[in-house]
Amino acid sequence: MADYSTYHALGEQDDSQDPSQPQVRTQPAAPAFRPPIASKPSEYQQNLRQTNAPHPVQFKQVAETGYQVSRPGTPQEQGYFPPHGQIAQAYGNGSADQLASPMSAMGLGPECAGGATRTNRKKNRHAYHNLDQSTPNAQQPQGLQQGHESPGHPYTGQPITPAMHQFPAPSGGAFQPSNPAFAQGHQPQAPASTGVTAQGKVDPEQIPSLPRARDAAAQYYLEHVYQTMEQHLPPTAAVPFVAFDQGNSSPKFARLTLNNIPASSEALTATGIPLGLILQPLAPLQTGEQPIPVLDFGETGPPRCRRCRTYINPFMTFRSGGNKFVCNMCTFPNDVPVEYFAPTDPSGVRVDRDQRPELKLGTVEYVVPKEYWAKEPHPLRYLFLIDVSQEAINRGLLEAFCEGVLGALYATEEPPEDESHADVEPPRNLPEGCKVGFVTYDREIHFYNCNSNLDQAQMVVMPDIEDPFVPLGSDGLFVDPYESQSIITTLLSRLPMLFTRIKNDEPALLPTLNAALSALSTTGGKVICSLSSLPTWGPGRLFMRDDNKLHGIETERKLFQTEHPGWRKLGSEMVKSGIGADFFITSPGGAYMDIATIGHVSAITGGETYHYPNFHAPRDSYRLAQEVRHTVVRETGYQALMKVRCSNGLQISAYHGNFLQHTFGADLEFGVIDADKAVGVMFSYDGKLDAKLDAHFQCALLYTTTNGERRVRCTNTVASISEGAIESMRYIDQDAIVSILAKEAATRMTERSLKEIRNHLNEKTIDILAGYRKSFSGSHPPGQLVLPENLKEFSMYMLGLLKCRAFKAGGEPSDRRSYIMRLIKSASPQELTVLLYPRIIALHSLEPTEGFADANTGHLALPPTIRASFANIEEGGAYLIDDGQTCILWLHARVSPHLLEDLFGPDYTLLKALDPYMSALPVLETHLNCQARNIIAYWSTLRSSRQMALQLARQGLDGSEFEFARLLVEDRNSEAQSYVDWLVHVHRSIQLELAGQRGKKDDDGGGGLTEGLRAMGW
């Protein structure tokens, strides 16, 4: 077994910043959900690092090669790493095995990032410090006038927003702040300064670091609970946290872009920030959080305002001794129903408030009476449409999909051998009452009767695909999956062999979906469909539309539109019947699949499209099976309607997401909606808000649960109001702003050219930062780029958005653009922020304790993440990178053989010996292997709809290295600027704006700053 120190990184990794003790007293977070953690191997001892502190890392200028790491006074250690030098020299100049790196050809490296050096984590930690001068006092940072309130740490001492006096009574007595709320008239938080000079030079150490911010937030919320009324600035979306509902909904369900709203439209315009709300009504809860209460008011239903129909919530007040309640949206006084009456105490609070969850919690569910029913609710029915064409068989899709369905329906644990437990019913993945059906298709449609009274499944063939119908009754097609388990298991196991001799290579998809619509039209349900090739047979057949000549021109947007009327009609009919569709589409060899058309059905019905470009069964089968299971077992509702209400003075201006809305102002309709889906809502002013009151928002989702119960889930959010915008800048939610702008841009892809969209995103970034610099930043040197405290990483997110596959310049298949477009429209802030800026860790420099459970807290000890730049990639290193869609293990060409041996097994000491199609690490009793598997397992718990599967990228050997290079978003790639160049461009534009010389740029985030047309105003 290799000595751990032989492949340990020579570069010392500094610890991330630990937030200071909070001013607001909180209770420790309940233990969060943790995957099974491999224990430390008993026979494997790891050598610890030297206890004495090493010399600090210094950077010296190297002619024509950027920066080189040097450690004065420390001789080069003996080990398996080559001498530390400019990493780019390892590529294309006689490196190990004469490997040529694709990264060099893509323009990646420190020289492309403006000579960016690594961040020194030991000094200049606070964003508001003037980093090119010494800081005299941490409590009185430079740039703040004497007597101003010194800003606290972003995770500690967050004051409640001002004017939050509408909450009728304290909620949750166990969580009391140790200091009272601050008075009106906060001074804004001191801004962040990146040290960009008027000459456009950037000190790389002062650039805001997303990994550092995420690590600090994650560490803080491991030990602290987020209280929704006492801390009104939500946690970073990319980190897990436990929320305590005190009447304002958890940020997992609702995120406002501004948690303090300006009273007038003019004040909001000065900030450049959109007023919006990100809603994820069925978001999953973390272990330790209170379950959503389900309330039943009988035949009368929950109390509601008679004027605006708002549901009862914690912010409604009672008067006249409890006989009337005043709506917090429209201020209309309503009579309290006799059955709901309770007296009030002298302060106006109901005496039974502590026994009323709807008056204490921001998120509740109501069981609704029959007047809310569109049709008789039933437990959810799943219909699996399985592609059995020749391509599906040859590529292994059929076998992988069948295995995924079996894993989704039935528990994978072995039944107990003890006879005393022989009668114990096996665990169910689906609620009782749910039924499943199976249909296969190629040029014909085959229905299967899996009734439990039969010995084996019966097939009924439907050759007439022009006008298909369902030849089986509902009792034959839809069966209880547990009563018919043996028949279903046998059927799915035999399907790959059954169709081996059939050579139909053209699937008829639209007729099959029409048959599924007929089968589920009376009850509603969910369709889960596999597809391996472009459906070119029968009605609704599709053709090759993608043409490289159309890329980059005005008419490219037509490739993202659904032009076939049959597919449009199908989507609308499915929503009307309460049916949603999920597609699992594989593209052998990257073939065109017209995801713009096929994915329209899943998007408009609230479903999801899973795309597997270059599908290879040995590598991708595991991931596909896991995602099939996830789409079946996650919390799902169907026959859903959503209504969003807001306070007087505000109105809804737009919705962004995957849904059907017949006319503006109508309810949003979903065939299905699940725990991973989010919707963006944008608001505008229809009057001036009253700064003495609060702004309220309520989302009501009417849906049928998986077990057949009709409910309404209410999500209530509150924000304070201030006369000017200066107070609002303290309560900006960066993740919500990025999500709103991304969803808006994705919505416009079918209406505007990609160049116009990139131009709009570029201009919007400058507008927001220039608005702050011009109106709210105070006196700062004109040569500094000043950022709002809560928007320090906003520029990096917007650069990541410009570089993502949906909007990036350059050539990109329309299928991939359409896929990412619809993913962004439905993605939660957690999923989107990781997509725009991935997580990266270095496996070769793990501390001995990292990757294992902490002995004191029980939480997994995680290593610090590193910046997504090639300047931080060490020669001979091994890196894990995850963007929520793909998890790549990148191995340098000179990686230590001992590292390979400990990570993959004793038979692997060369990169060429590794299996390029592996999807998971082998289970070994080595320290490094256990660490890596534990970290991957933990990351998998943070995934949303896409499941974790490993993809190997060996330097110079695997094509997936290009994907790794694309994920290094801080570098210049995809025809877009590096992070350093992007900040210089933003800074110059802000200076022009301050000087009154800025014209709107016809710039798509590339290297040029040419004058052009004014950005489109959406």
Side-chain angles (χ1 to χ4, degrees), residues 646-888:
C646 55
S647 294
N648 287 340
L650 295 174
Q651 62 182 359
I652 297 172
S653 60
Y655 292 99
H656 301 297
N658 291 334
F659 49 78
L660 175 64
Q661 187 179 26
H662 291 289
T663 59
F664 183 76
D667 295 347
L668 307 185
E669 299 182 35
F670 303 84
V672 294
I673 186 170
D674 56 64
D676 299 324
K677 298 298 182 295
V679 174
V681 188
M682 299 188 70
F683 301 93
S684 60
Y685 290 78
D686 62 359
K688 187 173 181 180
L689 302 178
D690 188 351
K692 298 179 181 179
L693 302 175
D694 297 332
H696 298 273
F697 306 86
Q698 184 181 84
C699 166
L701 177 69
L702 174 64
Y703 72 105
T704 304
T705 63
T706 309
N707 58 5
E709 193 171 41
R710 196 70 170 161
R711 297 180 184 175
V712 170
R713 174 166 291 196
C714 287
T715 303
N716 300 283
T717 307
V718 62
S720 56
I721 301 174
S722 57
E723 287 292 347
I726 190 170
E727 186 64 38
S728 302
M729 302 304 292
R730 292 176 57 91
Y731 300 100
I732 299 173
D733 188 338
Q734 176 177 254
D735 299 319
I737 295 175
V738 172
S739 296
I740 282 288
L741 294 178
K743 291 178 186 298
E744 181 186 28
T747 302
R748 304 302 178 188
M749 278 186 64
T750 59
E751 305 169 5
R752 307 287 185 187
S753 68
L754 292 177
K755 187 174 183 179
E756 287 178 316
I757 293 174
R758 288 192 297 269
N759 182 39
H760 172 76
L761 293 174
N762 175 73
E763 295 300 322
K764 193 64 179 177
T765 304
I766 298 170
D767 287 343
I768 292 175
L769 298 181
Y772 177 80
R773 185 69 171 90
K774 184 163 50 177
S775 305
F776 311 111
S777 64
S779 58
H780 286 83
Q784 284 187 330
L785 173 59
V786 183
L787 305 176
E789 173 65 22
N790 297 320
L791 288 178
K792 295 192 303 293
E793 299 87 17
F794 175 70
S795 297
M796 183 63 251
Y797 276 130
M798 296 305 290
L799 179 60
L801 190 61
L802 289 170
K803 290 184 176 184
C804 79
R805 279 200 163 99
F807 310 116
K808 77 180 189 70
E812 188 72 19
S814 62
D815 275 349
R816 292 200 174 188
R817 290 195 189 272
S818 298
Y819 167 71
I820 297 297
M821 173 190 73
R822 294 198 172 107
L823 174 65
I824 290 175
K825 290 173 65 176
S826 65
S828 65
Q830 177 190 17
E831 187 174 16
L832 181 61
T833 52
V834 177
L835 175 69
L836 301 183
Y837 195 98
R839 312 179 184 98
I840 309 179
I841 64 167
L843 291 180
H844 59 275
S845 60
L846 292 176
E847 293 284 358
T849 57
E850 291 170 345
F852 294 104
D854 185 273
N856 298 323
T857 65
H859 296 293
L860 188 72
L862 294 172
T865 53
I866 65 174
R867 302 181 74 143
S869 172
F870 192 65
N872 296 312
I873 302 300
E874 295 183 358
E875 190 171 356
Y879 294 87
L880 274 175
I881 182 168
D882 174 38
D883 69 342
Q885 311 296 310
T886 306
C887 182
I888 295 177

Side-chain angles (χ1 to χ4, degrees), residues 143-159:
L144 287 182
Q145 300 178 5
Q146 293 293 331
H148 284 198
E149 177 192 339
S150 180
H153 192 276
Y155 312 110
T156 61
Q158 294 178 0

